[in-house]
Amino acid sequence: MPTLTRPSPAKINLTLRVAGVRSDGFHELESLVTLIDLADTIHVTPQERGRWRLESTDDALPPDSSNLALRAARLLVEHVGENHGLDIRLDKRIPLGAGLGGGSSNAATTLMLLNELWGVGLTVSQLAHLGTRLGSDVPLFFHGPLALIRGRGEHVEACPQRLDAWVVLLLPELHCSTPDVYAAWDAMQAEAGGATGSGVDGRLRRVLDDLSRPDELMTRLYNDLEEPAFRVQPELRRLAAGATRLAGGPVRVTGSGAAMFRLFSDASAARVFAEAANAELGVRSEICRTQQPASGPY
Ligand code: C5P
């Protein structure tokens, strides 16, 4: 039986603006996202009808029906109305629950793989639409490597600009629950007298204009979920302050945390920072690169 394999990359949110709460309880976002070359690998192999198996190299990821790769496969089965059998193997490298979109990426990649394996013939935008049912971040993985997401995450626009940078990821062993971080954002808004979100301003435009200079770009990046994430995990605030001191400039939280990142144009500066964060803050670090249009799987 043929096995199809595909990388399933992580993302970082370069900017993230929360613009308010929608009537469905989700939050209205505007976020510039880049895919990075830290990636899981997904293998799918057809099995006899009705035989399903999911294997993961990460023991912390339960191979049950909560797994987003499995949910993606079941969703496609429902869509085609045929009881296929399947083996899914996840070689995990993206840390779980870190704001790096690992689960959502796995869902998107599984949909792409099975669309091919089963000859379903859905277009990328049909797959992305289906993916919205699995999570707000799923659609962005059908675009990229640089994309602007809006709404709950369902409106994705690929950006023609390029961002070519080294990325140092800081991966503290802290978990920020996404619903808790959004709830902390709600509480902050209530304290501020009910203003809904940060106003539209020129921040995003200035970021898009400055992508060719990754080091300078850091001072322009923002994430409205950062302060709420610090409230949910006060230890993260302390680590972010320590990392900022070591870097001599800002680090940013990605998504709802708890991973943080800093961009560099220079590989050796990235290495020095990654090693210092590891040695002095006791935080695991990973060095990777932003994905480029030619090198990405999309
Ligand atoms: O869609 P996803 O499963 O990733 O969302 C997880 C949780 O994050 C939601 O249940 C919701 O509490 C919150 N969320 C939100 N607004 C978004 C995305 C997520 O409030 N745009």
Side-chain angles (χ1 to χ4, degrees):
M1 293 261 192
T3 294
L4 293 185
T5 296
R6 206 173 171 130
S8 180
K11 59 86 180 165
I12 51 174
N13 299 81
L14 298 166
T15 71
L16 195 158
R17 181 168 78 90
V18 184
V21 189
R22 300 156 36 127
S23 54
D24 61 6
F26 279 84
H27 292 72
E28 190 73 22
L29 306 179
E30 179 188 68
S31 179
L32 180 66
V33 177
T34 181
L35 301 183
I36 55 178
D37 65 7
L38 173 71
D40 298 335
T41 306
I42 305 188
H43 313 267
V44 289
T45 312
Q47 278 296 334
E48 294 157 31
R49 297 175 83 75
R51 265 197 56 169
W52 285 75
R53 203 168 59 148
L54 174 71
E55 241 184 302
S56 161
T57 53
D58 188 337
D59 294 338
L61 186 67
D64 60 19
S65 55
S66 65
N67 187 286
L68 274 166
L70 193 59
R71 286 179 53 205
R74 299 252 193 239
L75 188 62
L76 205 59
V77 161
E78 212 177 279
H79 183 84
V80 295
E82 260 192 67
N83 188 18
H84 291 282
L86 190 69
D87 259 9
I88 306 177
R89 210 175 81 227
L90 304 177
D91 293 340
K92 291 293 294 179
R93 284 196 61 217
I94 307 172
L96 307 180
L100 294 166
S104 303
S105 174
N106 289 175
T109 303
T110 303
L111 287 176
M112 285 187 262
L113 280 165
L114 296 182
N115 190 45
E116 187 183 337
L117 186 75
W118 294 337
V120 182
L122 292 180
T123 62
V124 164
S125 72
Q126 287 171 320
L127 288 171
H129 185 69
L130 208 55
T132 309
R133 287 166 54 186
L134 298 164
S136 307
D137 279 345
V138 178
L140 77 92
F141 290 96
F142 292 95
H143 302 270
L146 192 68
L148 197 54
I149 65 174
R150 291 203 175 85
R152 192 194 125 191
E154 72 279 31
H155 301 298
V156 187
E157 191 189 320
C159 295
Q161 291 93 333
R162 283 182 74 140
L163 171 63
D164 192 1
W166 293 93
V167 184
V168 175
L169 292 174
L170 303 182
L171 306 166
E173 290 194 4
L174 295 172
H175 176 67
C176 293
S177 142
T178 303
D180 287 359
V181 172
Y182 277 104
W185 184 90
D186 293 342
M188 282 172 57
Q189 289 304 299
E191 285 164 25
T196 50
S198 52
V200 179
D201 53 32
R203 292 186 298 172
L204 180 61
R205 176 50 43 213
R206 284 196 290 275
V207 169
L208 288 168
D209 286 345
D210 230 3
L211 290 172
S212 59
R213 296 181 299 161
D215 296 298
E216 287 83 356
L217 185 64
M218 276 314 298
T219 57
R220 301 202 185 283
L221 304 185
Y222 53 90
N223 180 351
D224 288 352
L225 293 179
E226 200 164 283
E227 180 58 29
F230 291 160
R231 290 190 174 199
V232 168
Q233 279 289 4
E235 174 64 5
L236 189 59
R237 188 193 301 279
R238 193 188 66 79
L239 290 174
T244 302
R245 182 177 41 78
L246 289 176
V251 296
R252 289 270 77 90
V253 166
T254 173
S256 55
M260 296 176 283
F261 70 90
R262 182 168 167 89
L263 305 177
F264 291 88
S265 354
D266 178 62
S268 56
R271 216 162 22 243
V272 168
F273 174 60
E275 281 166 14
N278 194 258
E280 297 192 31
L281 303 174
V283 174
R284 181 159 85 84
S285 55
E286 285 262 358
I287 303 178
C288 57
R289 286 187 70 75
T290 51
Q291 232 180 45
Q292 298 307 306
S295 70
Y298 308 108

